[in-house]
Amino acid sequence: MAMALADLAPEWWPLSISATVLVAFVTLYAFAYQLSSRKIDPREPPVIAPAIPLVGHVLGMALLGGRYVKNLGIRNRNLPIFTLPVPGSRIYIVAEPSLAAAVQRASKALSFTPLVPEITQRVLGLDKPTVQITRRHLDPAPGEPRGFLADIQDMVYAWLGPGEYLAELSLAAATQMEREVGEFAAALSASGGEHRTDLLAWVRHLVTASTARYLYGPQNPMAADPSLEEAFWDFDHGLGALLAGVFPAVTARRAYAGRERLAAAMARYLEEGMHEAEGSAIVRERVRIALRHGWTLRAAAREELSFLFAGIVNATTTAFWVLLHVYADAELLAKVRGEVQAVLDTQTGKGKCGLSVAALRDRCPVLVATYRECLRLGSDTYSTRLVKEEMLLAGRYFLRKGAVVQIAGGVMHADTRIWGEDAGGFDYRRFLDGGGGGKREAEGEAETGKKKNPANHHYHPAAFRAFGGGKTLCPGRHFATNEILALVALVVLRFDVKGKGGGRIEVPPKNDGVLPVHVLEPVRPVEVVISEREEGGLGRGLEVEFGM
Ligand code: HEM
Ligand SMILES: *[C@@H]1O[C@H](CO)[C@@H](O)[C@H](O)[C@H]1NC(C)=O
């Protein structure tokens, strides 16, 4: 090669061979860079060209996880929206609340549902005929036939919205948590009064076991085979790799194996009719809808894994962060305990204390503010939409058909202009002054009722992204709030939690180097010592009966 080049170089060529190669390379790079940074329409959002032409952004996302795009957004704070060129397409990143609200409103042109069949196929391992069914009648207009996804979404949103069923399921969840906590306390007394554990692992077990029970009854698959709990968390931790979908049986071996074990156990549970005998009403209805649309019970079992997943994973990690922050700060712990004890009814006369879930939500502002602050800090979520037809977002930004729009929750949750200079740190007081103490969740589209932070700044409701927004606003948000507040209340009433050597608890940062498919976990485990409280007569032997 070098010989050939030397022979080819004419006499008058002023550069050495290596300099020539360098110049050629730089020119080629500049050309490719130029090409990658080109707009396909003058109104397209500003383009951020990848450092490595063409594949740079994809590589960045693959290697650095959610942190890659989040950091791009934070570094380019002045851009409310920007374009990331990727091979064959574009990703538009929205980093500003009012544009996020515009994306949510443009639900005809920008929709998540066309992406669902492919995603669920990969994550759940659905068979071809079932995926065909999920592709039918996505996003039906009023009066058009409704497909499986539309039917199941309508039902879940309606049932988990404020009303009688929400109250019933919340009570069932709180009661199962009380049961799990009670069992733990009994074992604690029997084993000398102290339990050393990884806090997240401890919360995982409490939430997993109780969720499986209130959704699927006492003979749910995990109760029948406790090793399935581990299979569940293997499945969760390989979700990103399953989503990538490149030979999952090899690249996501543990997750794949865990999912298949769970799917088989859930299929057995459904085939034996256990859901009809002792499952929750919402599970029975989900299975009925699937069967009505021509699903087999085996496929429905996989769909149930996604529901179990939605019910367990985020609730676990959120409850973990709340407990961690509360126990890491003695003053905060005293405040939260004070609030919970103030709403505890010790006069029920049934040998138990009464605790109302609604009172936790409405009359424990510090507890609720802590919960919301943990969601803000812990969730770097992206709300994703496919551009179904070319459009101008907010009348200004050209979005190309077939591209993907992502609202970057991680960027907004870190925005000092929204949350104040200390946006990177934990401060529950941000959510204290909200007129109702955070009683209302971010309602996505609701643009009225702007909330305040302590510096008296208002923040846009679409700036709080933990539950998504618009059409993909989490249907389980009211329920999750009820259940998490109930769990935290039970734990602070009954237990002391100290750091490893019985000392202070350190709060590690979150691990944002993964795909943010759920509320982020800490970068390292938090070892704690749990013991029963003695003082105030509310420790040992306390029994709580939940009410609404
Ligand atoms: C703190 C806890 C929770 C958080 C932060 C959370 C967050 C979210 C988010 C951001 C989405 C939208 C995902 C997207 O944009 O594609 C979502 C969807 C969903 N969530 Fe939650 N969630 C939580 C708890 C729950 C619970 C406890 C349940 C059920 C019992 C639940 C049920 C669902 C379901 C069924 C969906 C899918 C909705 C659809 O079909 O589009 N979530 N959740
Ligand atoms: C869990 O929460 C994260 C972050 O808020 C979100 O991106 C994700 O979609 C949620 N997943 C489920 C299954 O609810």
Side-chain angles (χ1 to χ4, degrees):
M1 176 74 181
M3 274 302 289
L5 262 180
D7 291 344
L8 282 174
E11 300 280 301
W12 48 265
W13 187 249
L15 296 180
S16 72
I17 295 160
S18 41
T20 308
V21 171
L22 190 72
V23 167
F25 181 78
V26 168
T27 313
L28 204 70
Y29 178 85
F31 182 68
Y33 187 86
Q34 197 55 39
L35 212 66
S36 315
S37 53
R38 228 178 24 164
K39 288 187 181 185
I40 51 177
D41 183 290
R43 296 161 300 172
E44 196 175 42
V47 175
I48 298 184
I52 302 172
L54 233 59
V55 293
H57 290 318
V58 175
L59 267 180
M61 290 179 225
L63 295 177
L64 299 179
R67 190 197 300 158
Y68 177 75
V69 170
K70 181 172 72 170
N71 288 347
L72 277 181
I74 291 174
R75 277 206 304 275
N76 294 278
R77 189 131 275 174
N78 54 324
L79 301 179
I81 180 170
F82 51 88
T83 302
L84 299 181
V86 293
S89 189
R90 331 287 273 169
I91 299 177
Y92 301 115
I93 303 292
V94 173
E96 194 273 323
S98 67
L99 269 188
V103 169
Q104 288 169 185
R105 278 192 305 266
S107 62
K108 269 188 90 168
L110 307 175
S111 173
F112 179 60
T113 32
L115 301 167
V116 173
E118 180 75 23
I119 291 175
T120 47
Q121 176 176 29
R122 289 182 183 193
V123 170
L124 302 176
L126 293 179
D127 56 68
K128 284 228 172 71
T130 309
V131 178
Q132 276 321 102
I133 298 175
T134 62
R135 291 218 167 93
R136 282 185 211 146
H137 311 299
L138 292 167
D139 290 336
E144 282 176 14
R146 309 184 66 75
F148 166 77
L149 283 173
D151 271 356
I152 201 125
Q153 264 176 358
D154 283 356
M155 185 279 286
V156 171
Y157 276 88
W159 286 40
L160 293 182
E164 234 167 82
Y165 189 69
L166 172 66
E168 182 187 321
L169 196 67
S170 301
L171 262 189
T175 306
Q176 290 309 330
M177 290 186 169
E178 147 78 7
R179 185 178 166 279
E180 287 297 328
V181 166
E183 274 183 11
F184 170 79
L188 194 61
S189 304
S191 70
E194 274 193 359
H195 183 63
R196 279 160 204 283
T197 180
D198 165 354
L199 182 62
L200 181 56
W202 185 70
V203 177
R204 263 185 198 147
H205 171 69
L206 285 180
V207 177
T208 312
S210 49
T211 305
R213 260 181 96 101
Y214 71 71
L215 286 179
Y216 299 95
Q219 300 183 70
N220 68 76
M222 286 178 179
D225 176 1
S227 78
L228 287 175
E229 254 187 51
E230 203 177 320
F232 178 88
W233 291 102
D234 284 346
F235 172 38
D236 172 52
H237 287 122
L239 208 68
L242 286 176
L243 256 172
V246 207
F247 300 116
V250 184
T251 56
R253 200 176 51 81
R254 283 174 69 102
Y256 187 89
R259 178 189 77 196
E260 292 307 306
R261 282 190 60 213
L262 282 164
M266 188 62 88
R268 234 173 295 127
Y269 168 93
L270 294 182
E271 279 164 358
E272 285 167 9
M274 299 296 295
H275 60 301
E276 292 293 353
E278 56 173 50
S280 60
I282 193 167
V283 162
R284 294 200 300 271
E285 187 63 13
R286 286 171 57 87
V287 174
R288 267 181 228 135
I289 291 175
L291 295 180
R292 207 165 65 223
H293 282 273
W295 287 48
T296 61
L297 268 185
R298 306 206 130 244
R302 288 179 187 267
E303 179 72 7
E304 281 318 288
L305 294 190
S306 77
F307 196 50
L308 194 59
F309 192 85
I312 292 177
V313 179
N314 280 325
T316 295
T317 318
T318 306
F320 158 81
W321 284 115
V322 176
L323 287 170
L324 183 64
H325 281 288
V326 167
Y327 280 106
D329 176 348
E331 207 178 303
L332 178 56
L333 175 61
K335 280 191 181 139
V336 169
R337 268 187 182 149
E339 284 182 348
V340 176
Q341 280 171 205
V343 298
L344 192 68
D345 177 7
T346 51
Q347 313 285 312
T348 58
K350 288 183 253 167
K352 290 184 175 187
C353 292
L355 190 54
S356 143
V357 176
L360 293 174
R361 225 175 37 216
D362 299 342
R363 287 166 38 211
C364 299
V366 173
L367 172 63
V368 173
T370 302
Y371 164 71
R372 293 179 65 80
E373 175 69 341
C374 287
L375 282 171
R376 178 189 72 88
L377 272 180
S379 97
D380 280 1
T381 181
Y382 290 91
S383 303
T384 303
R385 304 285 192 272
L386 182 74
V387 184
K388 285 164 71 179
E389 44 201 77
E390 189 182 297
M391 72 167 302
L392 273 188
L393 181 66
R396 274 183 74 184
Y397 297 107
F398 173 88
L399 305 182
R400 181 175 113 171
K401 181 174 172 173
V404 166
V405 181
Q406 293 201 294
I407 302 171
V411 179
M412 280 191 244
H413 287 169
D415 195 328
T416 52
R417 291 165 306 185
I418 300 172
W419 307 103
E421 279 310 313
D422 63 347
F426 173 85
D427 186 353
Y428 67 90
R429 288 170 298 179
R430 260 184 251 294
F431 287 102
L432 263 191
D433 203 7
K439 206 162 79 181
R440 304 229 54 76
E441 303 307 334
E443 293 294 349
E445 304 276 284
E447 293 206 37
T448 51
K450 296 197 169 186
K451 297 177 184 126
K452 283 183 189 168
N453 70 19
N456 257 345
H457 292 136
H458 289 86
Y459 72 87
H460 194 289
F464 182 83
R465 305 292 320 164
F467 290 115
K471 282 224 167 151
T472 58
L473 183 60
C474 171
R477 65 199 183 282
H478 306 290
F479 172 76
T481 302
N482 290 346
E483 129 186 281
I484 293 167
L485 297 183
L487 176 60
V488 172
L490 279 175
V491 173
V492 298
L493 282 175
R494 294 194 68 157
F495 305 111
D496 275 322
V497 179
K498 299 253 158 62
K500 200 158 44 181
R504 269 182 65 96
I505 296 177
E506 296 282 332
V507 178
K510 64 187 170 187
N511 177 13
D512 60 3
V514 296
L515 274 187
V517 288
H518 43 54
V519 176
L520 296 170
E521 296 184 354
V523 286
R524 55 174 181 274
V526 182
E527 291 293 326
V528 295
V529 182
I530 304 175
S531 58
E532 267 201 282
R533 274 176 86 198
E534 297 277 3
E535 83 269 29
L538 290 167
R540 226 157 276 261
L542 171 77
E543 283 188 72
V544 170
E545 185 169 82
F546 278 98
M548 276 315 285

